[in-house]
Amino acid sequence: MTSATPADEKAPDTSSFQVDLRGLVDLLSHHLYSSPRVYVRELLQNAVDAVTARQALDPAATIRIRLHAADGTVSIEDSGIGLTADEVHTLLATIGRSSKRGGEHGLESARREFLGQFGIGLLACFVVARRIRVVTRSARTPGAAPVEWLASDDGSYTVRTLPDEARPEPGTTVYLEARPGVGEWLEPSRVEELARDFGSLLPYDITFAGPDAVERPVTDRPAVWDRPHPTPASRRVALAGHCAQVFGFTPLDTIDLDLPVAGVRGVAYVLPEPTSPAHRAGHRTYLKGMLLTDHASNLLPEWAFFVRAVVDTDTLRPTASRENLYDDETLAAVRDALGARIRQWLAELAAGDPQRLAAFLRVHHLGVKSLARHDAELFELMLPWLPFETSDGDVGLEEFAAAHAEIHFTRTVEEFRQIAPIAAAHGLGVVNAGYTYDAELLALLPTVRPGVKVTELDAGAVTDRLDPVPTTAELALASFLATARTRLDPHNCDVVLRAFQPVGVPALFLDDRQARQERDRATAQENADSLWSDILGSLRGSAPRARLVLNHNNPLIRRIAGLPDTELTGTAVESLYGQALLMSQRPLRPADSTLLNRAFLGLLEWATHPTTAADAEENRA
């Protein structure tokens, strides 16, 4: 089936897009590239790609790349593949076109060796240059004359053929003339610094010369992690020096990242100081020897925040700006493999070097705990080493589980700090799960130690472990306890009497999650309108209430219990409740704040109350 254009309709005109070069340069400099510094990378990249193509065409060809900077100009010369006049028109002046596209010049077999993939090419150099001059001679076409391409940042360019003596041998030389206001980027010292930063691991010998014309090497191969060293100790010293130079710190340890299948080689440096799990460290990443970025935060798993890595890869894809890694399935697989290598390093330390492992965990136990949440095998391996704050002190869960068949835990640090001395004195095993990841790891403990029971600490468990008061003593204090319970009943708090250590603690406030939820519901009901108050009232359950545990061993408790004034006794009990609540560091409800103020003022009133007729007469006067 075919269709024809109606006779009264004209065929559409075909036109090409027009590109504003100055607008494109503004886009590159302000939105695609993070800094003008990348122009040096573009120059090096074009030169490396050119000599790679030349070697594919003629393996016996002499390869060289020379960079020069002086008097506001930068030039780079290579003995690469070069271009013909037609290729200059087609490739240098067409945005998006690349000389490295598969099959275009019969070099598909070498394409995987090229660094550039996006065809922006020399146009990126207009970020710092007002004029670019290219003198090139093709190695593919014997007898082809040298060609000059001269372009300005206004979007115009000229192409002309040069005499043979202008460039006797195949290759390309690029000259940049600085734009006004960016001359600092073409200063010789800056150019040399950038060339070393970007190109130190490139596979070809590259030299730099400044105004003195003395050539100095840019490349420094092989990479420090691939160099031979006489002893393991000397290798560690060399790697530590490299880490100090690149990242500014001396590593606690080093981890080799050798993944030949994934095309990744490098090293991870363990930070010598703790760092936040939320901090995403930047990793230094090279692509086929060219520095891609210092800030590849997606190279390693999130849990590996305790290392900074330097790697060279030939399999991962760069983003369009070639300043980061493209997050695709290949990167995800490499990230998993690098994470597995770090886990393997931890396992090797646990099995063969416990002293180094202990030193590492003293600094980075948080990172290992983060990893262990998702790796039961590693969690079991690390059990003797991972530190936890417990009622027996800072010990590993392996040791703690051996001493306590049932382990209780608190969800907040404040709750643990209040209960820890009492739990230790009465043999109750309590772990502080108020720190990051600890609650999750405790929940996993029964899966690797089936005989261990782990439960959240509740008021009943603590109360049951404390020593009961003899029946005769409790009966003698029945009136006191009745007064105390009456005063605290409006606050959803029961009062119990126990004897416990340490003696210096007069009262202990205990509750659990259900009790806290009930207290929150009651507070919300008090502050709600009639409709919501009825709804919240219907939700009232039979959850256990909070408890104020009075210590019969404490002399103050016994003195308060013997007070003859019932009102003063109630005020003292409210003071004990407020003090215990403050010690638990729980948020105070409005009713609790009111109680504290009332108790404080009541005690002041009692302390200043006249006790004799003379005192009363003095007050009246």
Side-chain angles (χ1 to χ4, degrees):
M1 179 177 179
T2 60
S3 61
T5 303
D8 59 343
E9 291 186 17
K10 296 178 63 178
D13 293 333
T14 301
S15 302
S16 298
F17 286 105
Q18 300 299 311
V19 176
D20 179 0
L21 183 57
R22 288 180 175 173
L24 176 63
V25 170
D26 180 74
L27 177 67
L28 293 175
S29 59
H30 292 95
H31 300 285
L32 184 62
Y33 295 134
S34 62
S35 165
R37 70 196 294 268
V38 298
Y39 87 91
V40 174
R41 183 194 64 200
E42 296 295 336
L43 290 175
L44 291 173
Q45 179 172 288
N46 286 339
V48 169
D49 286 343
V51 297
T52 300
R54 177 73 183 277
Q55 278 202 326
L57 181 71
D58 180 9
T62 301
I63 298 301
R64 66 179 182 276
I65 300 175
R66 295 170 179 165
L67 189 63
H68 181 267
D71 302 324
T73 63
V74 171
S75 64
I76 186 167
E77 177 190 5
D78 67 70
S79 58
I81 196 68
L83 299 172
T84 64
D86 289 341
E87 290 168 344
V88 165
H89 279 290
T90 302
L91 301 175
L92 294 187
T94 305
I95 297 172
R97 183 67 62 87
S98 172
S99 64
K100 300 175 285 295
R101 297 196 172 188
E104 186 167 311
H105 298 290
L107 296 173
E108 174 65 20
S109 62
R111 185 184 185 280
R112 64 182 180 274
E113 301 300 329
F114 291 120
L115 297 172
Q117 297 180 32
F118 296 94
I120 295 176
L122 287 175
L123 292 180
C125 293
F126 277 117
V127 171
V128 298
R130 72 179 184 91
R131 183 178 299 168
I132 300 176
R133 178 173 179 252
V134 178
V135 177
T136 182
R137 186 165 192 164
S138 176
R140 296 191 189 97
T141 308
V147 179
E148 177 194 69
W149 180 80
L150 183 63
S152 300
D153 62 359
D154 61 3
S156 63
Y157 71 93
T158 61
V159 177
R160 65 180 178 134
T161 301
L162 300 178
D164 286 347
E165 58 267 22
R167 185 167 187 96
E169 300 294 330
T172 301
T173 304
V174 179
Y175 303 89
L176 305 183
E177 184 179 331
R179 296 175 63 190
V182 297
E184 61 177 297
W185 293 104
L186 278 73
E187 289 291 333
S189 59
R190 176 67 66 87
V191 175
E192 183 175 10
E193 175 189 354
L194 293 176
R196 293 181 188 278
D197 198 34
F198 282 115
S200 62
L201 298 186
L202 286 171
Y204 304 105
D205 291 336
I206 301 173
T207 60
F208 171 84
D212 57 6
V214 177
E215 292 193 7
R216 296 179 289 275
V218 168
T219 47
D220 185 21
R221 303 185 316 274
V224 63
W225 53 84
D226 283 330
R227 295 174 188 172
H229 297 278
T231 64
S234 63
R235 184 175 188 270
R236 284 196 295 271
V237 170
L239 289 173
H242 177 255
C243 179
Q245 179 183 359
V246 172
F247 294 126
F249 65 84
T250 300
L252 188 66
D253 209 340
T254 58
I255 308 169
D256 282 314
L257 303 177
D258 186 6
L259 303 174
V261 175
V264 175
R265 283 281 295 156
V267 63
Y269 296 114
V270 181
L271 293 167
E273 297 178 351
T275 186
S276 168
H279 176 66
R280 298 300 301 275
H283 307 291
R284 190 173 176 89
T285 306
Y286 294 84
L287 178 62
K288 300 182 180 73
M290 179 75 78
L291 177 65
L292 193 67
T293 179
D294 279 320
H295 309 289
S297 60
N298 55 355
L299 179 66
L300 295 181
E302 290 185 8
W303 54 259
F305 55 82
F306 51 85
V307 300
R308 298 285 298 277
V310 183
V311 301
D312 187 16
T313 174
D314 56 15
T315 59
L316 300 179
R317 292 173 55 196
T319 58
S321 66
R322 291 194 286 274
E323 293 188 284
N324 214 329
L325 294 171
Y326 187 76
D327 212 333
D328 56 10
E329 292 181 356
T330 302
L331 178 57
V334 168
R335 185 163 50 235
D336 290 343
L338 293 175
R341 178 64 194 94
I342 296 174
R343 286 197 300 269
Q344 179 187 351
W345 169 78
L346 285 171
E348 290 170 354
L349 285 188
D353 201 339
Q355 290 184 341
R356 283 173 64 199
L357 177 63
F360 166 74
L361 289 177
R362 278 195 294 271
V363 179
H364 295 297
H365 60 275
L366 201 59
V368 179
K369 286 182 177 181
S370 174
L371 173 58
R373 295 176 301 154
H374 309 293
D375 191 329
E377 184 178 347
L378 179 67
F379 180 41
E380 185 173 13
L381 181 68
M382 293 290 112
L383 271 182
W385 308 100
L386 286 177
F388 285 80
E389 187 176 10
T390 77
S391 51
D392 293 349
D394 290 340
V395 298
L397 284 183
E398 179 88 358
E399 178 183 346
F400 194 70
H404 302 278
E406 182 174 8
I407 295 177
H408 302 275
F409 66 92
T410 64
R411 291 190 177 273
T412 66
V413 174
E414 293 77 18
E415 186 179 3
F416 175 80
R417 298 277 167 80
Q418 183 196 22
I419 199 66
I422 298 165
H426 293 270
L428 188 66
V430 181
V431 176
N432 182 1
Y435 295 118
T436 306
Y437 310 131
D438 283 7
E440 295 173 79
L441 292 177
L442 283 168
L444 292 175
L445 184 58
T447 65
V448 298
R449 291 292 181 271
V452 177
K453 181 180 179 182
V454 177
T455 59
E456 185 174 357
L457 184 70
D458 59 47
V462 178
T463 306
D464 293 344
R465 187 61 66 98
L466 303 180
D467 296 334
V469 177
T471 303
T472 54
E474 188 160 1
L475 288 174
L477 299 175
S479 176
F480 162 68
L481 294 174
T483 299
R485 288 163 182 155
T486 300
R487 294 297 284 263
L488 297 185
D489 184 68
H491 300 278
N492 294 310
C493 182
D494 291 331
V495 177
V496 295
L497 187 66
R498 292 289 187 271
F500 57 85
Q501 300 295 327
V503 174
V505 177
L508 178 66
F509 179 82
L510 298 175
D511 64 358
D512 52 29
R513 185 184 300 178
Q514 290 180 314
R516 287 192 290 272
Q517 290 173 346
E518 175 59 24
R519 284 158 61 86
D520 292 341
R521 184 207 60 78
T523 301
Q525 182 180 0
E526 292 174 2
N527 299 324
D529 57 30
S530 58
L531 174 61
W532 281 108
S533 179
D534 292 341
I535 293 174
L536 291 169
S538 67
L539 297 177
R540 181 174 182 178
S542 58
R545 305 206 304 173
R547 299 182 185 183
L548 182 67
V549 184
L550 302 178
N551 188 1
H552 188 253
N553 290 339
N554 184 269
L556 177 62
I557 295 297
R558 292 200 293 268
R559 286 198 297 269
I560 292 174
L563 290 173
D565 188 334
T566 303
E567 183 62 29
L568 178 58
T569 299
T571 300
V573 169
E574 288 180 339
S575 299
L576 290 170
Y577 170 81
Q579 188 263 352
L581 200 60
L582 291 174
M583 290 295 294
S584 69
Q585 299 191 35
R586 289 173 174 79
L588 295 180
R589 302 174 299 168
D592 296 328
S593 298
T594 300
L595 176 144
L596 280 170
N597 290 331
R598 184 175 66 244
F600 177 71
L601 293 175
L603 290 177
L604 286 179
E605 177 69 24
W606 175 82
T608 58
H609 193 276
T611 57
T612 66
D615 292 335
E617 182 64 29
E618 181 180 347
N619 286 342
R620 284 193 296 271

